[in-house]
Amino acid sequence: MLRTHTCGELRTADVNKEVKLSGWVQRIRDKGGLIWIDLRDRYGMTQLLMEEGRSAQQVVDTARKLGREFVIQASGNVIERESKNPKMATGEIEIDLTALKVLNASKTPPFTIEDDTDGGDELRMKYRYLDLRRNPLRENISLRHRLSLETRKYLDNQGFIDIETPFLIKSTPEGARDFVVPSRMNEGQFYALPQSPQTFKQLLMVAGYDRYFQLVKCFRDEDLRADRQPEFTQIDCEMAFVEQQDVLDTFEGLVRYLFKEVKGIDIENLPHMTYAEAMQKYGSDKPDLRFGMEFVELNEVAQGKGFNVFDEAELVVGIDAAGCAEYSRKQLDKLTDFVKKPQIGAKGLVYVKYNADGTFKSSVDKFYSEEDLKTWAEKFNARPGDLLLVLSGEAEKTRKQLNELRLEMGNQLNLRDPKVFKPLWVVDFPLLEWDEESKRFHAMHHPFTSPKPEHEAMLSTDPGKVNANAYDLVINGVEIGGGSIRIHNRELQKKMFQVLGFTDEEAQAQFGFLMNAFEFGAPPHGGIALGFDRLVALFAGQDSIRDFIAFPKNNAGRDVMIDSPSVIAKEQLDELGLKLDLKK
Ligand code: ASP
């Protein structure tokens, strides 16, 4: 071995030991005759010491030729430090060097390997292997490992088995856009990379593997955001002979186990909230429950007083920003600008200040008396010193806009502490979603999700009203995962494809393999998939998943380190029977 110890493990108890360490040069300080080197590896940092005249000349000469990020092997004796560094785990000791060897030289890195690096995003991505040497990244990647391992332990204990499903599968028009792979042996034909192992895990249930899991890569060719990558990892699971509550219990167990094992946090029982309630109270199917500020509907008290904007609105709805009555003109203008941003799209914002002295001041004083505003305040259970923020318009749109405002106020009032975790289940999602553009229904979750049994008959009469046996796991306003109880009956699955606008031939061509399998004793089953990258980021209290993936893509879907995607040789194209026409 090129080392006897790592750079993170030596302590006072090791004083007088003869040791050998290997690692990267973090820093060199040369103060006249005394030279110190901070040596770094995955485990930490250890200080090396040598002294002109006292240490071997070879050691001093070699040290003077070192630069940042050189890989060295250092041999010496552990001694107690004269000035200790309580901030460093190894800060009580240092190594008095007897030999020093360069294992490999290094160019000067293009950015500093420090917690707060001076490297920009693009540069860090290009030299990702250097970025990964930095502590924050190392911690993220280790956290990912920890969560992955604990997930496996929990699921194994619950009798789940890990089964791999293929990556080269078949393209289907449902869901997001597929990444496709041309087949050389079947010219003109393409595989698709899986958006999820959905149909395979269902087939495993038919096969009798009644508890399946996999930490699996999934691929979706969508536009990217901070919390989205073209390839990402899911904790994918399926169970047979279960009802919705069984799946929720099992994965609530996983969530609580992970928080306990990895963060030492006890999570209370997860509340269940219906989709309808979430939309009504928070304007979102992924409410952030770290703070209240629930929506209060004001139609009753705000309409019929001559204020046209409200009178004509389907919904008048607001939130109570506690303690914000002192907001200045400028702050209120900023909030108005915020809701009027094109991404949010509100026409304006009405505010009511419930002043500390009990008086009211609002942007609609012309239309409402103090008495009127007092009835509003009562609806909100507001207290003197609060600020009421009210939006109006078409119900669904207005709720979505108010959701954005609520989250913004949550940010402004520091109510979204990344160290606090509030998970919940959102249940009873609608089965279908009407798409204006294509004038047809889409599956809200996916086409294999079963309707609530009591709603099944409505599939033929009023499909838009059918609720699904579908559920999402939401933590701190982030959708961490979702799943459903599946259809396991051929006729119902066929019916579902009809409702989605498939002809029987199309359904048979694309999903015949699954519907056929349903004729060979398919058990009732259901499952869930959790976004693993998001889960890890959430555990670290961060929004972006990128720094929790060792080698991610940038926002243009490129890997700038290996420079991919890239063109391929004409011979490769010929072999695949592909012709490119890039003239457009
Ligand atoms: N396959 C689904 C998804 O990726 C999850 C599930 O229903 O289990 O969203």
Side-chain angles (χ1 to χ4, degrees):
M1 292 273 254
L2 299 184
R3 60 186 174 192
T4 57
H5 295 78
T6 71
C7 295
E9 73 178 296
L10 295 169
R11 300 286 185 273
T12 345
D14 299 300
V15 167
N16 291 330
K17 276 190 192 155
E18 215 182 296
V19 299
K20 208 182 276 174
L21 301 182
S22 291
W24 288 263
V25 173
Q26 177 78 29
R27 202 174 297 116
I28 311 163
R29 275 159 299 153
D30 193 338
K31 289 219 175 109
L34 280 174
I35 305 173
W36 287 276
I37 298 173
D38 285 342
L39 188 67
R40 184 193 73 240
D41 65 10
R42 201 187 113 195
Y43 307 89
M45 200 118 71
T46 299
Q47 180 167 293
L48 314 177
L49 167 76
M50 65 224 82
E51 196 175 351
E52 185 101 66
R54 186 174 62 80
S55 305
Q57 197 55 41
Q58 177 269 335
V59 171
V60 175
D61 290 345
T62 309
R64 293 222 155 105
K65 286 190 209 115
L66 296 177
R68 278 195 288 141
E69 301 307 309
F70 272 52
V71 186
I72 60 172
Q73 183 191 45
S75 311
N77 300 307
V78 182
I79 58 172
E80 195 170 340
R81 274 207 217 179
E82 253 170 47
S83 56
K84 305 201 166 42
N85 181 352
K87 287 201 203 107
M88 236 172 130
T90 60
E92 308 227 301
I93 58 97
E94 59 194 339
I95 313 297
D96 190 23
L97 288 198
T98 52
L100 186 58
K101 188 167 154 195
V102 175
L103 298 177
N104 211 341
S106 171
K107 288 206 217 169
T108 305
F111 49 86
T112 55
I113 312 296
E114 303 278 354
D115 292 6
D116 280 318
T117 179
D118 56 359
D121 266 359
E122 203 65 11
L123 203 57
R124 287 174 44 209
M125 287 296 165
K126 183 160 171 123
Y127 296 91
R128 188 64 164 176
Y129 46 89
L130 296 180
D131 200 23
L132 285 165
R133 284 183 191 167
R134 298 190 308 116
N135 274 324
L137 270 283
R138 189 169 53 76
E139 280 162 18
N140 291 353
I141 299 298
S142 307
L143 172 66
R144 185 181 178 104
H145 162 71
R146 187 88 244 134
L147 277 166
S148 147
L149 191 67
E150 293 300 341
T151 299
R152 290 170 192 282
K153 271 200 224 162
Y154 174 87
L155 291 173
D156 177 53
N157 270 326
Q158 299 282 326
F160 284 79
I161 65 171
D162 181 353
I163 305 175
E164 287 166 273
T165 51
F167 278 170
L168 295 175
I169 65 167
K170 172 168 142 174
S171 187
T172 61
E174 272 300 305
R177 215 175 286 114
D178 282 326
F179 280 103
V180 295
V181 181
S183 163
R184 177 184 59 81
M185 286 191 287
N186 305 271
E187 216 184 275
Q189 298 189 330
F190 295 80
Y191 301 102
L193 302 179
Q195 295 186 28
S196 88
Q198 185 61 33
T199 50
F200 288 97
K201 66 176 173 175
Q202 291 191 242
L203 292 168
L204 287 170
M205 295 305 109
V206 181
Y209 296 84
D210 61 0
R211 288 182 165 217
Y212 142 92
F213 88 97
Q214 194 179 182
L215 266 78
V216 64
K217 273 289 176 73
C218 300
F219 307 85
R220 294 182 192 171
D221 189 1
E222 297 174 304
D223 294 334
L224 306 180
R225 298 189 307 230
D227 62 349
R228 228 190 237 164
Q229 282 276 313
E231 50 178 305
F232 59 97
T233 305
Q234 284 189 342
I235 304 172
D236 191 50
C237 305
E238 196 74 5
M239 307 166 83
F241 305 115
V242 287
E243 294 175 325
Q244 175 163 311
Q245 193 55 45
D246 304 309
V247 181
L248 300 191
D249 287 346
T250 306
F251 290 92
E252 175 161 343
L254 172 65
V255 169
R256 298 173 66 185
Y257 174 83
L258 290 178
F259 273 107
K260 186 74 195 165
E261 287 302 310
V262 178
K263 291 194 81 77
I265 295 178
D266 287 304
I267 295 282
E268 291 164 25
N269 287 339
L270 271 58
H272 291 196
M273 190 183 292
T274 64
Y275 172 84
E277 188 186 349
M279 293 310 289
Q280 192 178 13
K281 282 191 178 161
Y282 302 97
S284 163
D285 59 2
K286 37 180 195 288
D288 185 344
L289 295 192
R290 281 173 296 181
F291 64 110
M293 235 186 254
E294 284 178 18
F295 293 6
V296 173
E297 299 185 4
L298 297 171
N299 293 41
E300 234 177 78
V301 292
Q303 289 181 324
K305 303 271 176 181
F307 182 40
N308 264 345
V309 178
F310 281 3
D311 288 350
E312 282 160 16
E314 186 186 352
L315 180 70
V316 182
V317 61
I319 49 173
D320 175 2
C324 294
E326 306 267 290
Y327 261 40
S328 64
R329 181 80 247 167
K330 204 166 154 204
Q331 280 173 301
L332 291 166
D333 286 348
K334 260 195 160 168
L335 285 181
T336 308
D337 291 345
F338 174 82
V339 297
K340 280 168 120 178
K341 279 196 302 197
Q343 306 94 295
I344 298 182
K347 295 225 176 63
L349 174 68
V350 167
Y351 69 82
V352 179
K353 287 179 167 184
Y354 188 1
N355 296 320
D357 62 6
T359 61
F360 290 91
K361 170 90 196 94
S362 82
S363 56
V364 285
D365 280 350
K366 257 203 271 173
F367 303 98
Y368 300 94
S369 66
E370 286 258 325
E371 235 4 79
D372 291 333
L373 297 177
K374 199 159 172 211
T375 60
W376 295 24
E378 275 159 16
K379 278 233 157 213
F380 279 99
N381 273 327
R383 282 191 301 211
D386 288 0
L387 174 70
L388 313 179
L389 299 168
V390 183
L391 295 178
S392 65
E394 198 253 299
E396 202 181 318
K397 268 194 202 149
T398 307
R399 288 197 177 104
K400 286 194 177 139
Q401 293 160 356
L402 192 59
N403 163 54
E404 300 289 344
L405 182 62
R406 174 180 175 269
L407 295 177
E408 172 62 20
M409 290 314 293
N411 288 336
Q412 290 196 10
L413 300 175
N414 290 324
L415 300 172
R416 305 179 75 190
D417 182 347
K419 293 202 173 66
V420 172
F421 298 94
K422 290 288 178 198
L424 77 149
W425 291 110
V426 178
V427 299
D428 295 357
F429 276 82
L431 183 70
L432 303 162
E433 196 168 30
W434 180 254
D435 183 50
E436 244 336 289
E437 219 166 280
S438 56
K439 297 271 180 246
R440 66 177 192 94
F441 283 109
H442 283 293
M444 188 136 177
H445 185 47
H446 52 54
F448 316 108
T449 293
S450 64
K452 294 245 163 227
E454 63 274 22
H455 286 186
E456 222 179 285
M458 269 200 299
L459 261 186
S460 311
T461 55
D462 198 355
K465 287 233 161 63
V466 176
N467 277 350
N469 269 323
Y471 34 79
D472 273 0
L473 173 67
V474 174
I475 310 181
N476 293 2
V478 181
E479 181 199 324
I480 291 295
S484 59
I485 296 297
R486 326 297 184 188
I487 296 168
H488 65 280
N489 167 294
R490 182 184 177 113
E491 283 315 304
L492 184 56
Q493 188 65 70
K494 197 171 141 196
K495 173 87 207 159
M496 181 69 181
F497 282 126
Q498 283 165 2
V499 174
L500 294 173
F502 285 68
T503 64
D504 286 352
E505 291 71 41
E506 283 166 348
Q508 187 59 34
Q510 278 159 30
F511 296 108
F513 64 94
L514 185 67
M515 290 196 286
N516 293 345
F518 287 170
E519 294 183 311
F520 290 94
H525 61 284
I528 193 167
L530 309 185
F532 185 61
D533 312 284
R534 280 189 200 173
L535 187 72
V536 186
L538 180 97
F539 264 63
Q542 291 183 31
D543 297 326
S544 172
I545 62 175
R546 209 191 275 171
D547 279 345
F548 296 86
I549 297 173
F551 299 106
K553 311 264 186 291
N554 73 6
N555 277 344
R558 297 199 67 83
D559 182 326
V560 293
M561 181 183 67
I562 62 171
D563 193 18
S564 157
S566 60
V567 292
I568 57 174
K570 176 156 187 316
E571 295 72 41
Q572 275 175 297
L573 285 170
D574 288 346
E575 214 169 38
L576 294 165
L578 294 178
K579 282 206 171 51
L580 281 192
D581 180 7
L582 294 176
K583 279 191 290 277
K584 281 196 284 184

